[in-house]
Amino acid sequence: GAGVSQSPSNKVTEKGKDVELRCDPISGHTALYWYRQRLGQGLEFLIYFQGNSAPDKSGLPSDRFSAERTGESVSTLTIQRTQQEDSAVYLCASSLGWDNEQFFGPGTRLTVL
Amino acid sequence: DQQVKQNSPSLSVQEGRISILNCDYTNSMFDYFLWYKKYPAEGPTFLISISSIKDKNEDGRFTVFLNKSAKHLSLHIVPSQPGDSAVYFCAASDNYGGSQGNLIFGKGTKLSVKP
């Protein structure tokens, strides 16, 4: 069956440019999470969506980061004015509900030159 | 300040032997712990979990042990197989079930199982 998908798989951009990363969760999953993994680090929580509730943005590292989700479908993570320290693998996960197992996508590798 | 620590970045084990991956945590409010396995170019996949009311959970070749007083957990893989070669992440939550993005991950341990 279809799992969580993310696009693009790789993105190289120049410092200062904006990037948009996409996540397609598993159909029917009401919860969606964004994480990032910088080189040599563990996964770092960024933002969480649950149904139509206000998202938990407590992990976003700066106001250059934002994310949207329409209903219980696709989510986009936008990074404005990218910096070199934004280089990381950005992972999306979804789950049936707030206390269910999270299923991860393959990630988007972002390189900021 | 790291709340979940995996102090061994890598581990090499012979096929058929036991693999022991360790994880320490600092937050006594954590009540649920998970292990994820990650192959290159793929997202992490859930492996096994344990709640703080238990000290052991077993699933086939995988067993997780929790020592709350030491704030330490370990993942045992017996017998190890070459297909187990991957990066293993320890994660913790203070909200049972790892919900609401409250999963705190360690840096991971790369396990290599040699034939």
Side-chain angles (χ1 to χ4, degrees):
Chain A
V4 177
S5 61
Q6 292 185 245
S7 61
S9 54
N10 279 285
K11 176 73 177 177
V12 180
T13 190
E14 292 179 350
K15 178 181 171 181
K17 296 282 180 73
D18 297 351
V19 295
E20 207 170 82
L21 312 180
R22 177 187 168 109
C23 172
D24 285 82
I26 294 172
S27 177
H29 281 195
T30 64
L32 187 147
Y33 315 77
W34 282 97
Y35 295 87
R36 74 174 174 182
Q37 184 182 15
R38 289 186 285 185
L39 191 65
Q41 303 295 316
L43 279 75
E44 176 188 4
F45 165 71
L46 297 177
I47 189 169
Y48 159 73
F49 295 90
Q50 172 61 63
N52 294 317
S53 303
D56 175 357
K57 303 180 182 180
S58 59
L60 294 178
S62 78
D63 59 7
R64 295 187 296 104
F65 287 73
S66 62
E68 290 185 352
R69 186 184 188 197
T70 306
E72 294 180 357
S73 61
V74 170
S75 175
T76 54
L77 176 69
T78 302
I79 309 172
Q80 295 178 309
R81 304 180 304 282
T82 51
Q83 303 294 314
Q84 288 183 331
E85 62 262 28
D86 299 335
S87 296
V89 176
Y90 288 81
L91 287 153
C92 174
S94 70
S95 63
L96 269 175
W98 67 276
D99 65 348
N100 296 101
E101 177 190 343
Q102 296 181 29
F103 294 83
F104 284 81
T108 294
R109 181 175 295 278
L110 174 66
T111 304
V112 182
L113 300 177
Chain B
D1 181 36
Q2 269 193 286
Q3 296 188 69
V4 177
K5 299 176 185 178
Q6 293 178 257
N7 292 320
S8 298
S10 64
L11 175 67
S12 184
V13 172
Q14 205 67 32
E15 180 179 7
R17 308 292 287 268
I18 184 171
S19 295
I20 300 177
L21 297 114
N22 293 304
C23 178
D24 297 288
Y25 61 96
T26 58
N27 188 341
S28 58
M29 298 300 292
F30 287 149
D31 58 6
Y32 194 66
F33 304 89
L34 309 91
W35 284 95
Y36 282 81
K37 176 179 179 180
K38 185 182 184 301
Y39 292 116
E42 294 183 13
T45 54
F46 170 75
L47 190 58
I48 193 169
S49 64
I50 188 167
S51 76
S52 58
I53 62 173
K54 295 186 174 182
D55 54 19
K56 177 182 174 181
N57 188 26
E58 191 172 350
D59 183 3
R61 297 185 297 112
F62 302 90
T63 303
V64 56
F65 295 92
L66 176 62
N67 182 334
K68 288 188 290 294
S69 61
K71 294 193 179 69
H72 176 84
L73 65 155
S74 60
L75 174 68
H76 292 211
I77 307 173
V78 183
S80 302
Q81 299 173 354
D84 296 330
S85 297
V87 176
Y88 289 79
F89 289 98
C90 172
S93 167
D94 59 3
N95 190 354
Y96 184 89
S99 68
Q100 302 172 356
N102 281 344
L103 288 180
I104 310 296
F105 285 84
K107 292 185 178 183
T109 296
K110 184 176 181 179
L111 174 66
S112 300
V113 180
K114 302 194 181 304

